[in-house]
Amino acid sequence: MDLPRIFTIRESSHHIHNPFTGDQLATLGQALRLAPGTRALDLASGSGELLCTWARDHGITGTGVDISTVFTEHARTRAAELGVADRVDFVHGDAAGHVADAPVDLAACVGATWIGGGVAGTVELLDRSLRPGGLMLIGEPYWRLDPPDQDTVEGCDATRKEDFRPLPELIEQFGDLGYDVVEMVLADQDGWDRYRAAQWLNLRTWLDRNPDDELAADVRAELTTAPARYARYGRDHLGWGVFALMAR
């Protein structure tokens, strides 16, 4: 049970596996007014930056669950670097279907709603771990501009236009599911550029070091097309944000 290697190659230098900058992650933590001792569960926690930095800055505790052995080890290393290994722990496992042993104050899935089959299923999954009155965090893409054709849809890593919604409709969806949106922080253009462009250097660095690897042809093909594909499609059309929800 693990992520395909191409994912960990592509994002090998990333602390945050989405278009948030460190400053935006910090802004979100401040906006949520997190109290020391807040108990958190982060599903698909990646390299653990959310839990580690919020444990350092706000005194939260928590558990992250991720399917990637590489990212889980990165998260444990990061916790040690920041001096919070006694407050957060990271579990290698499938976040889909994971429920906390005891209710938590904050349940998050930031950028991986496929673990629940989409937004609705992920909200339902997180709710199973959340105490009454707790905070839920969902990170999700949305259409900034209406994609004019299927090439644009696929250029934004979707299979069909309905995979994502415009921002107002995404917020309305949360309401339809019975939740108030009580905060949000949206990625900006710089965050998107840093997230995507850093992947290209990761790919090229890996390729130079591993020219005979069985994945070399796939990595070369991605590196050849990814920059222009992002500039043509994703940069203008796709947005991304983290939304804080409370059940009505």
Side-chain angles (χ1 to χ4, degrees):
M1 180 175 60
D2 212 331
L3 277 180
R5 275 203 304 148
I6 189 65
F7 285 89
T8 53
I9 293 168
R10 185 186 297 125
E11 302 198 11
S12 58
S13 69
H14 291 51
H15 285 304
I16 302 172
H17 300 282
N18 58 60
F20 255 19
T21 64
D23 286 345
Q24 288 169 323
L25 186 61
T27 294
L28 178 61
Q30 293 165 1
L32 296 178
R33 308 170 197 169
L34 298 169
T38 294
R39 296 161 297 162
L41 173 68
D42 188 6
L43 298 185
S45 52
S47 293
E49 194 73 355
L50 182 150
L51 286 179
C52 289
T53 57
W54 289 4
R56 177 195 64 193
D57 298 340
H58 302 287
I60 74 166
T61 65
T63 298
V65 182
D66 199 274
I67 199 171
S68 169
T69 54
V70 172
F71 293 158
T72 300
E73 189 56 36
H74 287 177
R76 291 168 180 160
T77 299
R78 186 66 167 153
E81 288 175 353
L82 297 185
V84 296
D86 60 332
R87 282 178 259 168
V88 294
D89 65 289
F90 295 95
V91 177
H92 171 240
D94 189 354
H98 183 94
V99 177
D101 293 336
V104 298
D105 306 304
L106 174 69
C109 177
V110 178
T113 56
W114 56 81
I115 68 170
V119 169
T122 302
V123 166
E124 190 278 332
L125 172 61
L126 292 174
D127 185 67
R128 292 164 63 191
S129 295
L130 193 63
R131 68 164 175 81
L135 275 172
M136 183 183 298
L137 299 182
I138 296 284
E140 182 71 2
Y142 59 88
W143 293 120
R144 291 180 60 210
L145 296 176
D146 186 53
D149 50 39
Q150 185 62 20
D151 285 344
T152 303
V153 169
E154 294 177 6
C156 295
D157 298 319
T159 56
R160 56 194 187 115
K161 179 179 175 180
E162 292 75 18
D163 288 345
F164 308 135
R165 299 175 182 229
L167 180 59
E169 292 181 14
L170 176 59
I171 290 174
E172 289 171 348
Q173 182 185 17
F174 295 133
D176 292 341
L177 293 170
Y179 291 80
D180 290 321
V181 176
V182 296
E183 255 295 355
M184 71 177 187
V185 177
L186 305 181
D188 59 21
Q189 199 68 74
D190 182 62
W192 269 111
D193 290 348
R194 299 293 2 104
Y195 175 57
R196 290 298 193 192
Q199 295 175 4
W200 311 332
L201 183 56
N202 293 339
L203 294 170
R204 178 54 192 265
T205 300
W206 182 91
L207 193 60
D208 287 348
R209 293 172 178 170
N210 302 275
D212 300 320
D213 190 279
E214 63 183 2
L215 281 182
D218 292 339
V219 172
R220 164 42 60 195
E222 180 171 335
L223 180 57
T224 299
T225 59
R229 185 170 180 257
Y230 167 66
R232 179 171 290 115
Y233 300 120
R235 197 172 194 272
D236 290 334
H237 288 85
L238 197 61
W240 193 88
V242 180
F243 305 87
L245 314 177
M246 295 183 71
R248 290 177 177 169

